[in-house]
Amino acid sequence: MALLITDECINCDVCEPECPNQAIYLGAEIYEIDPHKCTECVGHFDEPQCVQVCPVACIPVNPEHIESRDTLWQKYHRLVAV
């Protein structure tokens, strides 16, 4: 499952540097998450770091990118192999 930043984002800049996969970037209006890079921190941390630091709780699971933990592990291994 990739995560998603909703339009409740206040552009506080705390999530972007916390992402170990560089999946978070500033979009046209708010921060966005690249679902091809987001592993929900699987392989790095026990909890998604962006969710932990977000002061407005605007980072839910992206319903368009539902993935199993095994799939997230595979994505993690693919990303670190590059």
Side-chain angles (χ1 to χ4, degrees):
M1 294 169 273
L3 299 173
L4 167 73
I5 298 175
T6 68
D7 60 3
E8 296 170 354
C9 176
I10 59 172
N11 289 329
C12 67
D13 303 321
V14 298
C15 62
E16 182 184 26
E18 296 299 319
C19 182
N21 297 322
Q22 289 88 39
I24 300 174
Y25 61 94
L26 186 57
E29 295 181 24
I30 60 172
Y31 280 92
E32 298 181 21
I33 297 177
D34 180 345
H36 303 291
K37 291 183 177 181
C38 179
T39 63
E40 293 187 35
C41 290
V42 167
H44 296 282
F45 301 101
D46 293 333
E47 300 284 329
Q49 298 301 288
C50 59
V51 173
Q52 296 296 312
V53 299
C54 181
V56 293
C58 68
I59 309 175
V61 170
N62 186 337
E64 295 180 13
H65 294 279
I66 303 296
E67 298 170 289
S68 70
R69 190 154 181 87
D70 287 339
T71 302
L72 292 172
W73 270 107
Q74 292 171 11
K75 188 189 303 185
Y76 163 75
H77 288 294
R78 186 183 78 246
L79 289 169
V80 297
V82 174

